[in-house]
């Protein structure tokens, strides 16, 4: 694959590709070799991008939803047309298997199409009458784009997290400055190249590659930005919020998780094993929604653990381009060391490693790790309480439904949860009691653009996807007239 095209200049500002000042080295995590060099910008580039977006906002905010919808559909079709290249770029840059990268690209396609529909529907309900308890006044509600928005995204699902912000922002009529992760800029640079060909007015969409401190920090503090939508770690989310506070700008935050999968006593154990494996090892466990705590009813705990360990040991960890691959590489050296550190410290505090925890013997290079299962994990340990962001499952048994719910809810996070049960009433009862923004029952982690994404407690502020994702980029205005 030729990675040397103009899309890798690093900055796309006011409809122009530009070079930044800082060389960012992009690594292939499966081989530990250099994939590409991308230039990153800093405060000057952020200023230029925000200014271009502010100029473009005057016109773009006045376009009809139908016009914006047509452009969003064009982007969706561009994504579809470049599907294979986008899949390969994601696998090369992130280390995820081709089939997983394919799911990501299809999600991006669906998201742009979904928000094209919502943009088109805006025309009919731009102004809606508000019933009042008075004949002397009439009121109407308008929803207007909130302005120029800054989008900051992580490396684990680079294109998907971008699409979940970019599509609704454009649909609402906002202009955008996007900052991809410096670890995985290649998929977004390709997406930017697609957008550049779709005929969006110059300045509506701008991209500035760079590090968090060089680009993310000035973007978060910029007085010309109306809102920051951020996905990433809690530590950085707090900094973004603090910087945004200086100019009282809105923030949407999608942060970490420590989610649970609950296997009730009447569960189909084989299904539970498949769902635990998917919830723990998809994307090599580098998911904010990883169900890394598995809570299993005493009645089925032994059978479940035996089958889970057999499944984990059978997972084929390999190069993402291997046709038989089930799990790819972790994203980089830092993440690899972080996960290995958690595994080591977990053993140090008495957690029992049942399988995995080390590099596969047949893969001497690349950030590969065998799917890992722990039991007897102390409830006050980092392994149990902190986000590991790697292929590590902690399994614990429970005696009662109430105990399982209490264990699952005992976390600073509350992003997602899964329940496995053959009793629909019990599954619903448990789902309703869990503090999580999305609960799957007997289902893998399917995500539809129509349902919301985001969580309770320290996992999120706001919700993405669905109409909530659009409203996040809209201001609410009421106009009240005396009759
Ligand atoms: P990160 O917080 O290190 O970086 C995220 C983005 O913020 C990157 O683009 C980075 O360059 C930028 N950044 C870094 N420092 C910054 C600063 N001081 N100011 C502004 N921006 C800055 O996160 P990561 O390691 O890229 O991603 C992993 C994290 O993302 C995990 O904690 C995971 O849970 C979270 N995540 C959450 C969701 C969700 O939907 N809740 C989805 C994906 C990832």
């Amino acid at each position: 694959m030729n990675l040397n095209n103009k899309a890798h200049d690093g900055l796309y500002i006011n409809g122009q590709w530009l070079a930044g000042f800082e060389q960012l080295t992009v690594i292939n995590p499966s081989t530990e070799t250099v994939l590409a060099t991308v230039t990153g910008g800093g405060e000057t580039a952020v200023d230029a991008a925000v200014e271009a977006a502010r100029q473009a906002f005057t016109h773009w905010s006045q376009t009809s939803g139908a016009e914006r919808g047509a452009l969003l559909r064009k982007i969706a079709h561009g994504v579809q047309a470049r599907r294979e290249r986008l899949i390969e770029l994601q696998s090369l840059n992130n280390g995820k298997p081709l089939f997983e990268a394919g799911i990501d690209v299809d999600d991006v396609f669906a998201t742009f199409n979904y928000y094209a529909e919502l943009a088109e529907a805006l025309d009919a309900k731009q102004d809606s009458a508000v019933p009042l308890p008075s004949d002397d006044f009439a009121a109407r509600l308008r929803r207007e784009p909130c302005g120029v928005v800054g989008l900051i995204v992580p490396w684990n699902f680079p294109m998907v997290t971008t699409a979940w912000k970019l599509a609704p922002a454009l649909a609402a009529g906002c202009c955008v400055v996007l900052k991809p992760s410096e670890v995985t800029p290649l998929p977004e640079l390709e997406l930017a190249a697609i957008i550049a060909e779709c005929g969006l007015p110059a300045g509506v969409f701008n991209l500035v590659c760079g590090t968090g401190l060089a680009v993310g920090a000035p973007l978060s503090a910029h007085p010309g930005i109306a809102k920051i939508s951020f996905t990433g770690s809690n530590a950085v989310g707090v900094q973004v919020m603090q910087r945004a506070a200086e100019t009282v700008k809105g923030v949407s935050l999608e942060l970490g998780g420590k989610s649970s999968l609950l296997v009730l006593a009447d569960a189909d154990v084989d299904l539970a094993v498949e769902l635990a494996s998917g919830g723990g090892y998809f994307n090599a466990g580098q998911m904010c929604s990883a169900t890394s705590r598995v809570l299993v009813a005493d009645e089925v705990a032994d059978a479940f653990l035996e089958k889970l360990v057999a499944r984990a040991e059978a997972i084929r960890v390999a190069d993402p381009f291997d046709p038989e691959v089930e799990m790819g590489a972790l994203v980089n050296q830092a993440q690899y060391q972080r996960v290995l550190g958690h595994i080591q410290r977990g053993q140090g505090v008495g957690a029992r490693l049942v399988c995995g925890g080390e590099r596969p013997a047949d893969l001497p290079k690349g950030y590969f790790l065998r799917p890992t299962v722990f039991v007897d994990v102390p409830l006050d340990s980092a392994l149990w309480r902190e986000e590991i962001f790697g292929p590590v499952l902690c399994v614990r048994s429970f005696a009662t439904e109430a105990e399982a719910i209490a264990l699952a809810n005992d976390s600073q996070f509350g992003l997602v949860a899964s329940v496995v049960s053959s009793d629909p009433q019990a599954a619903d009862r448990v789902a309703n009691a869990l503090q999580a923004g999305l609960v799957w029952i007997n289902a893998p982690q399917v995500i539809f653009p129509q349902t919301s994404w985001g969580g309770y407690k320290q996992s999120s502020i706001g919700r993405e996807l669905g109409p909530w994702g659009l409203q996040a980029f809209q201001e609410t205005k009421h106009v009240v007239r005396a009759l």
Side-chain angles (χ1 to χ4, degrees):
M1 170 182 259
N2 175 21
L3 294 173
N4 297 316
N5 70 17
K6 72 181 170 82
H8 300 123
D9 285 350
L11 314 181
Y12 181 72
I13 297 174
N14 207 18
Q16 303 281 325
W17 285 104
L18 305 167
F21 67 89
E22 190 181 3
Q23 297 284 330
L24 305 170
T25 304
V26 183
I27 302 288
N28 178 342
S30 311
T31 58
E32 303 180 38
T33 54
V34 175
L35 253 185
T37 313
V38 169
T39 61
E43 204 164 342
T44 312
V46 170
D47 284 345
V50 173
E51 182 52 30
R54 285 175 72 85
Q55 295 285 336
F57 185 71
T58 309
H59 166 71
W60 181 248
S61 59
Q62 298 302 316
T63 51
S64 68
E67 282 171 72
R68 299 197 296 273
L71 283 165
L72 287 169
R73 281 190 206 286
K74 239 175 150 175
I75 297 172
H77 289 136
V79 167
Q80 187 70 350
R82 301 255 263 278
R83 187 173 183 276
E84 294 313 313
R85 181 171 169 84
L86 288 166
I87 288 174
E88 285 183 17
L89 278 175
Q90 296 218 83
S91 290
L92 280 170
N93 197 170
N94 174 280
K96 61 178 78 192
L98 290 173
F99 74 90
E100 291 188 3
I103 294 172
D104 288 7
V105 176
D106 294 342
D107 182 309
V108 172
F109 175 72
T111 302
F112 275 100
N113 272 326
Y114 173 71
Y115 281 107
E117 254 173 58
L118 292 205
E120 286 155 1
L122 281 178
D123 291 336
K125 54 179 184 201
Q126 172 76 19
D127 288 80
S128 52
V130 182
L132 296 178
S134 162
D135 294 336
D136 299 330
F137 299 93
R140 62 189 164 89
L141 163 68
R142 282 174 67 75
R143 294 220 183 252
E144 298 182 349
C146 68
V148 174
V149 294
L151 315 180
I152 303 177
V153 297
W155 46 257
N156 60 336
F157 292 97
M159 281 193 69
V160 170
T161 42
T162 293
W164 289 6
K165 299 176 189 310
L166 180 58
L170 295 176
C174 293
C175 294
V176 166
V177 180
L178 168 68
K179 189 204 110 46
S181 165
E182 62 274 37
V183 180
T184 54
L186 301 189
E188 271 101 336
L189 283 163
E190 189 70 15
L191 181 64
I194 291 169
I195 294 173
E197 290 164 14
C198 285
L200 245 71
V204 170
F205 166 78
N206 305 275
L207 170 139
V208 183
C209 287
T211 62
L213 281 182
V215 177
L219 191 60
S220 311
H222 204 291
I225 293 276
K227 172 156 196 173
I228 292 283
S229 179
F230 170 85
T231 299
S233 62
N234 283 62
V236 175
V238 168
Q239 290 177 33
V240 166
M241 202 170 172
Q242 283 169 340
R243 289 208 171 85
E246 289 162 23
T247 50
V248 197
K249 58 171 66 73
V251 287
S252 291
L253 303 178
E254 289 301 337
L255 308 175
K258 189 72 185 178
S259 300
S260 297
L261 178 132
L262 290 79
V263 183
L264 305 194
D266 55 17
D268 172 337
V269 171
D270 291 327
L271 173 66
V273 167
E274 271 320 296
L275 298 179
S277 166
Y281 304 140
F282 191 85
N283 215 37
Q286 300 164 118
M287 297 189 288
C288 49
S289 60
T291 40
S292 54
R293 291 171 164 185
V294 184
L295 304 169
V296 193
D298 282 339
E299 292 86 337
V300 288
D302 289 344
F304 173 86
L305 185 62
E306 193 183 318
K307 289 187 174 192
L308 177 68
V309 170
R311 177 77 187 96
E313 289 189 327
I315 285 176
R316 180 161 166 73
V317 183
D319 184 276
F321 288 79
D322 183 322
E324 306 287 313
V325 64
E326 284 187 90
M327 199 178 92
L330 277 75
V331 78
N332 61 15
Q333 171 78 15
Q335 186 61 17
Y336 194 59
Q337 291 306 333
R338 204 179 143 243
V339 175
L340 286 173
H342 270 295
I343 291 172
Q344 212 174 28
R345 284 193 298 281
Q347 290 172 283
V349 296
R352 187 158 62 85
L353 182 68
V354 187
C355 69
E358 60 188 6
R359 167 186 292 283
D362 60 334
L363 292 169
K365 267 268 178 235
Y367 306 118
F368 295 100
L369 189 58
R370 286 174 52 210
T372 300
V373 177
F374 272 102
V375 295
D376 302 335
V377 181
L379 291 179
D380 59 356
S381 65
L383 198 55
W384 186 259
R385 306 206 75 82
E386 289 179 19
E387 185 174 49
I388 307 296
F389 232 55
V392 180
L393 288 177
C394 299
V395 181
R396 184 181 188 89
S397 62
F398 63 83
T400 64
E401 193 179 294
E403 184 192 353
I405 292 166
L407 280 167
N409 286 342
D410 179 19
S411 171
Q412 74 198 77
F413 300 112
L415 190 57
V416 303
S418 292
V419 183
V420 194
S421 168
S422 53
D423 176 349
Q425 281 179 337
D428 275 333
R429 192 170 58 234
V430 172
N432 293 349
L434 291 169
Q435 295 163 348
L438 177 53
V439 183
W440 291 282
I441 296 176
N442 296 334
Q445 295 200 0
V446 280
I447 297 169
F448 299 98
Q450 290 78 4
T451 56
S452 67
W453 184 261
Y456 287 34
K457 300 186 265 187
Q458 292 183 32
S459 283
S460 306
I461 292 183
R463 292 289 184 273
E464 297 197 305
L465 296 179
W468 310 275
L470 183 73
Q471 284 160 15
F473 295 108
Q474 290 177 316
E475 283 288 5
T476 301
K477 178 191 279 183
H478 281 94
V479 180
V480 180
R481 178 195 296 275
L483 295 174

